[in-house]
Amino acid sequence: SGVQETSNDQLVVGVQNYLEKAAQKLNPIVPIKFYISSRTDTGVHALCNSAHLDIQRAPGKPAFSEKQLIYSLNYHLKPEPIRILNAYRVTNSFHARFSALSRTYIYRLLIGCAHHSEIPVFEKDLCWAPVGGYLNVPAMQDAAQFLLGTHDFSTFRSVNSETPFQSPIRTILQADIQPSSGFLSHHYEHRDLQFWELKFRSRSFVYRQVRRMVGALVAVGQGRLRPHHIKELLEIKDPQAFPPNAMAPPSGLFLKSVEY
């Protein structure tokens, strides 16, 4: 249900709620708050996210070691698909969100499915198989080049409560489209399904920018847009100009890494 914490009256529970609930089992003397680097939406996955937290133990109790922290938090997170992979002691000036140099997202596309019922069951909710089953990948690769560099991404952001306070200027450091493999796909080669990964790297992204960029590139792959239309969408600088219903679904999106 997304990373961000939800209030008690909401039916969905965010990843942050689970992390803080697990951390409270460590008996801190001040409630622990997690500051998470990247606030992924409901339905989006994270192969590796990062967060920082402060722990105050009772007087006389030694600080947790990194290993103790990883083991204890994972013990209390056991039923959830959330795992602590590493822990590091950091300086007081470190901030998981604002100290990040870049974030890398990948989006997984599946080509060759005429209907969503043809998606391998082990790939359910882990990729997007656009309608029609065919995409012109070279045209998408040409179009992706227009996204590289520093631009006003107003057209490529969804409007939310933070929009008035956030600059739409972002710098895309990488925009690649490469062939990929699916889970166990070498066992069903006869089905002629192709997986592709779109990789985007930037210091930060505006709200839903990656899903809208992917959606526009898929529209190019389907022939509904030409590659140069991506440049035109950037120049228009208007969220309303984005093609209707073109945003990619959250299921294919993964936060791959956060670099410091």
Side-chain angles (χ1 to χ4, degrees):
S1 303
V3 157
Q4 225 169 340
E5 67 182 328
T6 55
S7 55
N8 292 336
D9 56 353
Q10 288 179 272
L11 290 173
V12 295
V13 183
V15 172
Q16 187 175 347
N17 298 78
Y18 288 111
L19 292 170
E20 289 175 0
K21 189 176 162 190
Q24 285 312 118
K25 303 267 175 67
L26 305 176
N27 300 320
I29 55 173
V30 176
I32 290 176
K33 187 158 180 60
F34 276 76
Y35 298 87
I36 302 177
S37 105
S38 304
R39 292 179 292 183
T40 47
D41 272 350
T42 298
V44 175
H45 317 281
L47 298 167
C48 193
N49 206 336
S50 53
H52 79 264
L53 64 154
D54 295 305
I55 303 178
Q56 272 185 275
R57 300 198 74 188
K61 289 209 166 184
F64 286 110
S65 71
E66 284 98 332
K67 268 189 173 166
Q68 282 176 313
L69 205 54
I70 294 167
Y71 178 84
S72 303
L73 287 173
N74 280 335
Y75 178 81
H76 296 299
L77 286 166
K78 221 171 11 188
E80 305 307 326
I82 305 166
R83 292 293 174 270
I84 308 299
L85 303 176
N86 283 302
Y88 308 95
R89 198 172 299 283
V90 290
T91 61
N92 282 340
S93 61
F94 176 85
H95 195 288
R97 187 174 171 197
F98 302 119
S99 301
L101 297 176
S102 69
R103 293 160 173 84
T104 302
Y105 282 89
I106 57 168
Y107 196 99
R108 299 181 71 237
L109 288 176
L110 173 57
I111 302 176
C113 293
H115 188 263
H116 65 80
S117 62
E118 295 175 14
I119 299 170
V121 290
F122 300 110
E123 291 286 354
K124 186 182 181 306
D125 298 330
L126 298 173
C127 63
W128 177 28
V131 175
Y134 170 77
L135 293 174
N136 180 344
V137 175
M140 293 168 64
Q141 290 167 325
D142 289 345
Q145 299 310 300
F146 290 114
L147 298 167
L148 284 171
T150 304
H151 305 283
D152 181 320
F153 280 96
S154 291
T155 307
F156 288 89
R157 73 168 165 186
S158 294
V159 177
N160 70 349
S161 58
E162 289 186 11
T163 300
F165 311 105
Q166 275 192 341
S167 164
I169 309 294
R170 293 291 186 272
T171 301
I172 300 292
L173 303 166
Q174 184 177 11
D176 289 343
I177 303 176
Q178 302 280 353
S180 177
S181 59
F183 180 63
L184 297 173
S185 57
H186 55 291
H187 290 293
Y188 50 79
E189 281 167 345
H190 62 281
R191 292 188 58 191
D192 203 26
L193 301 179
Q194 292 177 22
F195 287 88
W196 290 80
E197 265 178 25
L198 289 72
K199 184 190 276 191
F200 300 96
R201 186 164 63 91
S202 173
R203 178 158 191 184
S204 61
F205 296 88
V206 291
Y207 184 50
R208 292 186 173 164
Q209 180 183 342
V210 177
R211 286 171 59 192
R212 283 166 80 107
M213 291 191 300
V214 171
L217 292 175
V218 165
V220 169
Q222 293 172 326
R224 293 187 291 133
L225 295 178
R226 308 289 298 162
H228 68 83
H229 286 138
I230 300 297
K231 186 171 183 279
E232 289 171 17
L233 287 172
L234 283 168
E235 289 165 354
I236 292 168
K237 302 174 190 172
D238 177 9
Q240 303 298 321
F242 189 76
N245 306 315
M247 183 167 70
S251 54
L253 184 58
F254 296 74
L255 173 63
K256 181 181 187 288
S257 56
V258 184
E259 295 81 32
Y260 293 96

